[in-house]
Amino acid sequence: MLKPATAERLTFFSDGVFAVIITILALDLRPPHGHAWSDFLHLWPTAVSYAASYLFVAIVWVNHHHLMRFTEDASTRLIWSNFAHLFSVSLVPFSTSWMAESRMESVPVSVYAAVFVLVNLTYIALCFEAIFKHATEKISPRARRMMRIRSLISLGVFAAAAIIANWVPLLGFGLIFACLIVYTRPDAFDAAA
C-alpha cells in the first residue's frame, strides 16, 4: 500500500517555488542609467514596488509555513490547492515589473491588486483544506473564525484596492500595503485559541 504524501514534502516543494519567485523579483531589478542621486531617486516606483512585493512574498511564505504545521498528510485536494496558491504567487513578479515600469499607473496597480485578490482566494482555499477541513482539532473554533474574518476582510480590501487604483493608483497601492500588515503575525490567532 502506498503511503500518503506528507505535508512536509509539500512544504519543501513550496519553499523551492517561493525561493524561485524571490529570485525572479531580484533579477528584475536594474540599476539607474546615470550616476547621480537624482537618477537613483527617479527609480522610486521600482524600489517601492520591489520592497512591497518582497515583503508580500515573505508574508505569504511565513503564513504558508504556519498553515502547513496543522496538517500531516497531503490530500490530493490539499496538493492542488497548494499548486493554485503557488501559481497565484508566481504572478507577483510580472505584476510588480509592470507596475514599476509604468511608474505606478492606474491599470498596472489595479492588476497588481487583482493578483493579491487571487493570492488571497487561493490562500482561503488552502486554509479550507489544511485547517477548516482536516485539522479542526488542532486549532480552536475561535481561532478558525478569526482566520476566516481576516481572510474575508483582506479579500475585500484587495478588491477595493483593485477598483480604487483605476482612479487613484497610489491610494490603491497604499491599501494593499496596509492590508499586508495584518498577515505579518500568523501565530496571533494561535494565542487566541
Side-chain angles (χ1 to χ4, degrees):
M1 183 173 158
L2 293 174
K3 289 183 179 179
T6 64
E8 184 178 58
R9 187 165 180 223
L10 189 65
T11 300
F12 290 152
F13 175 80
S14 301
D15 287 349
V17 174
F18 284 120
V20 169
I21 291 168
I22 290 283
T23 303
I24 291 168
L25 272 172
L27 290 175
D28 201 35
L29 289 175
R30 301 284 181 254
H33 295 292
H35 304 287
W37 282 110
S38 60
D39 298 319
F40 179 73
L41 293 176
H42 183 70
L43 292 178
W44 73 266
T46 301
V48 169
S49 301
Y50 172 77
S53 294
Y54 189 92
L55 176 64
F56 176 64
V57 173
I59 288 170
V60 171
W61 178 82
V62 168
N63 280 272
H64 185 276
H65 179 65
H66 181 76
L67 188 63
M68 287 299 136
R69 292 179 329 143
F70 295 106
T71 187
E72 294 167 10
D73 294 331
S75 68
T76 302
R77 288 179 63 140
L78 180 66
I79 292 169
W80 283 110
S81 296
N82 189 61
F83 271 113
H85 187 55
L86 293 174
F87 170 76
S88 65
V89 177
S90 75
L91 298 174
V92 171
F94 161 76
S95 59
T96 301
S97 180
W98 190 26
M99 185 173 65
E101 285 179 17
S102 76
R103 301 191 55 76
M104 295 205 177
E105 288 291 325
S106 59
V107 173
V109 175
S110 182
V111 168
Y112 185 70
V115 167
F116 280 67
V117 169
L118 185 60
V119 170
N120 200 287
L121 282 171
T122 58
Y123 182 73
I124 291 169
L126 192 60
C127 283
F128 179 77
E129 286 301 319
I131 291 179
F132 303 134
K133 194 170 177 187
H134 297 290
T136 55
E137 70 284 346
K138 294 181 182 179
I139 189 164
S140 76
R142 182 173 185 268
R144 288 194 310 271
R145 185 174 56 253
M146 292 184 72
M147 288 175 75
R148 273 191 215 105
I149 291 169
R150 176 185 71 167
S151 294
L152 293 174
I153 288 173
S154 57
L155 184 63
V157 172
F158 290 143
I163 294 166
I164 291 169
N166 287 297
W167 294 278
V168 188
L170 290 179
L171 179 58
F173 183 80
L175 285 171
I176 294 166
F177 196 78
C179 198
L180 291 179
I181 304 304
V182 177
Y183 283 91
T184 57
R185 291 267 332 269
D187 59 341
F189 295 116
D190 294 350

